């Protein structure tokens, strides 16, 4: 039975996992704390993690109905992420492993994202695993990965500047929506006309698998400088949201499916906060169906950051015989996938 901790950014999370089953997955989000600053404030995130960890750890054990003494291993996110935020959860995990005399595994946050789409209804189905192209798309990252086999992957491309979630959030901020604006923009877009305004699709026609979203955000800013009146008209505002969302989603979907076809895999997976976006979910489904690709999108509660995915991956690593991580190891804030 594995205890897992995740504190790489602004979610304090702890989970208990056993035999591919998620017995508990407690997530304490700090969104409210950071909202008034319009983004994550690292120092505040660390303080919140330190404050929340004892309660979150206790709740994860209680919800699973287990005692600390039942645990056979501990895992925690080692990187990438905010250095001191990582340190809070990593140290907590190391302390637990030391006190319980069990093994400890430091997990790569993005590697964990790669396997969360294989979980359905709190149960991981790795018997169904097949080589895939995986899209990790969140507030901090946009990464396309070729997962050749379990625990064997190669990064195909990533964003050269802003992440897709950042583009959603910065666009939302420009039109006056509260942080994080992605979900609110999604709601407004659902009643808008995506063909109303034409925004660029950055790097869509380029051969590589990298992304770039900073220019798109800038073109929204220029658009608003020229069309201030759009902000005062609810329907045109919805149309603007739908048009920007369509540009982001088209790039994500097209490049993901194109990479899957090029590499000859039969499956596409997606995870990360932006995978909650309704148009992305819809369009990726249609594009994969049309291309004859099986699609696995992480369930909504596993799209955003959580400790269950850390526990699920650490269990697979233990089963595969991957060595434990030293109890005096350091966090790796810039760890590449
Ligand atoms: O994976 P996540 O929780 O963690 C971080 O990156 O920290 O992703 C959060 C991101 C934010 O940028 C948020 O605006 C975006 O995911 N997001 C969405 C939606 N739900 C969350 N973006 C667009 N549409 C949504 N429905
Ligand atoms: Zn994440």
């Amino acid at each position: 039975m594995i205890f897992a901790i995740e504190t790489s950014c602004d979610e304090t999370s702890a989970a208990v996992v056993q035999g591919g089953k998620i017995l508990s997955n407690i997530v304490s989000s700090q969104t409210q704390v950071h909202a008034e600053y319009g983004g994550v404030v690292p120092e505040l995130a660390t303080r919140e993690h330190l404050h929340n960890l004892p309660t979150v750890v206790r709740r994860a054990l209680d919800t699973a109905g287990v005692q600390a003494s039942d645990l056979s291993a501990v895992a925690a996110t080692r990187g990438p992420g905010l250095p001191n935020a990582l340190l809070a959860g990593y140290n907590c995990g190391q302390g637990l492993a030391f006190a319980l005399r069990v093994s400890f595994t430091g997990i790569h946050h993005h590697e964990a994202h790669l396997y969360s789409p294989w979980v359905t209804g709190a149960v991981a189905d790795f018997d169904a695993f097949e080589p895939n192209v995986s899209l990790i798309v969140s507030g901090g990252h946009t990464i396309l990965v070729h997962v050749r086999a379990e625990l064997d992957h190669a990064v195909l491309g990533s964003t050269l500047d802003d992440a897709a979630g950042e583009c959603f959030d910065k666009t939302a901020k420009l039109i006056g929506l509260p942080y994080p604006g992605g979900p609110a923009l999604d709601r407004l877009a659902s009643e808008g006309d995506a063909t109303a305004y034409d925004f660029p699709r950055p790097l869509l026609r380029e051969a590589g698998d990298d992304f770039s979203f900073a220019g798109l955000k800038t073109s929204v800013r220029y658009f608003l400088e020229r069309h201030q009146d759009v902000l005062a008209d609810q329907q045109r505002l919805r149309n603007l949201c739908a048009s920007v969302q369509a540009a982001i989603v088209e790039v994500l979907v097209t490049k993901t499916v194109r990479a899957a076809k090029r590499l000859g895999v039969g499956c596409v997976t997606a995870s990360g906060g932006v995978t909650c976006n309704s148009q992305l979910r819809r369009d990726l489904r249609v594009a994969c169906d049309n291309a004859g690709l099986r699609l696995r999108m992480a369930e909504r509660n596993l799209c955003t950051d959580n400790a269950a995915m850390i526990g699920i991956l650490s269990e697979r690593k233990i089963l595969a015989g991957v060595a434990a991580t030293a109890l005096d190891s350091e966090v790796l804030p810039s760890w590449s996938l």
Side-chain angles (χ1 to χ4, degrees), residues 7 27 76 95 102 143 188 253 283:
T7 59
V27 182
V102 297
I143 315 176
L188 285 172
V253 170
D283 290 4

Side-chain angles (χ1 to χ4, degrees), residues 65-80:
V66 301
Q67 311 281 333
S69 55
D70 297 327
L71 304 171
S72 56
V74 177
T77 306
R78 190 176 185 185

